[in-house]
Amino acid sequence: MSEIIAAKDLRSGNTFLYKNNLYLVIENSFNKTAMREGIVKCKVKNLRTGSITVEVLTGEKLEKANVSTTKMSYSYNDGQNFVFMDNSTYETVEIPQSRLEWEKHFLVDGTEVAVQKYNDEILGVSLPDQIVAEVTEAEEAVQGNTVQSVQKKAWISTGHEIQVPQFIKKGEKVLINTTTGQYVGRTK
């Protein structure tokens, strides 16, 4: 039997079912006036489509959704799916490329991710905050350019283009923020 939660009790990080959609609460606000029921506005992420919307839930009773996460490692791309392996059970999971449009830029061999599931439905993956990737190509530095924080284009092993400082060269390993896709620093 599923757990029911009142809309006013929702908090960031809660997952729930509403209008046949599975949502994750990003942020919420509750406004109570003296003459009527409180209004709950939730900024939510649809865990099936990835879209972010605002839902107004006044007095709603919602079904809480238990989304589980399993630590897995990225193995390979078979051309249509990304394949992940559970390091303890060696079970593999295939996720269609279309479900990981942003994440695919940061999936390098062995990257540990959290695969999210609702019942038997695979929803997607949560990347680590930062990854280490090798620069496979970089533009030449512009000689004489002494302006601080001048950037140039570089490409990492996944083919994703990033902006890096002038001193970064092909073959170096860099740290990248997976939320913004921006260069964070060099690794040794």
Side-chain angles (χ1 to χ4, degrees), residues 3 15 95 107 172 177:
E3 186 180 342
T15 52
I95 302 176
L107 290 174
E172 288 193 63
N177 179 314

Side-chain angles (χ1 to χ4, degrees), residues 130-135 156 164-165 167-169 171-177 183-188:
Q130 298 176 341
I131 62 152
V132 174
E134 183 177 341
V135 174
I156 60 173
V164 296
F167 57 82
I168 298 294
K169 295 177 178 57
E172 288 193 63
K173 295 205 182 283
V174 294
L175 206 53
I176 301 169
N177 179 314
Y183 167 87
V184 175
R186 249 192 316 202
T187 62
K188 299 191 185 227

Side-chain angles (χ1 to χ4, degrees), residues 39-165:
I39 298 172
V40 179
K41 285 187 181 179
C42 288
K43 184 176 182 181
V44 294
K45 178 179 181 180
N46 186 319
L47 293 175
R48 291 183 174 127
T49 65
S51 64
I52 295 177
T53 58
V54 174
E55 293 288 340
V56 178
L57 309 164
T58 304
E60 301 279 348
K61 299 285 185 202
L62 306 163
E63 184 179 339
K64 203 168 186 182
N66 292 319
V67 175
S68 65
T69 58
T70 305
K71 290 278 186 204
M72 296 185 136
S73 295
Y74 171 65
S75 293
Y76 62 93
N77 179 345
D78 69 7
Q80 295 179 346
N81 300 299
F82 290 103
V83 180
F84 299 88
M85 182 181 71
D86 186 320
N87 291 334
S88 58
T89 65
Y90 302 110
E91 169 192 0
T92 60
V93 170
E94 294 180 356
I95 302 176
Q97 288 183 8
S98 61
R99 299 288 300 269
L100 302 177
E101 284 300 315
W102 175 252
E103 294 88 346
K104 72 181 179 186
H105 300 300
F106 311 105
L107 290 174
V108 294
D109 288 344
T111 301
E112 282 221 353
V113 298
V115 176
Q116 301 165 327
K117 293 181 183 178
Y118 174 68
N119 295 335
D120 289 332
E121 178 185 359
I122 295 173
L123 301 170
V125 300
S126 292
L127 295 167
D129 293 337
Q130 298 176 341
I131 62 152
V132 174
E134 183 177 341
V135 174
T136 56
E137 189 178 334
E139 290 181 338
E140 290 296 319
V142 178
Q143 290 295 325
N145 197 340
T146 58
V147 177
Q148 274 192 327
S149 72
V150 173
Q151 304 276 300
K152 67 179 182 179
K153 291 180 185 177
W155 292 265
I156 60 173
S157 55
T158 62
H160 185 61
E161 179 184 310
I162 60 172
Q163 294 290 316
V164 296

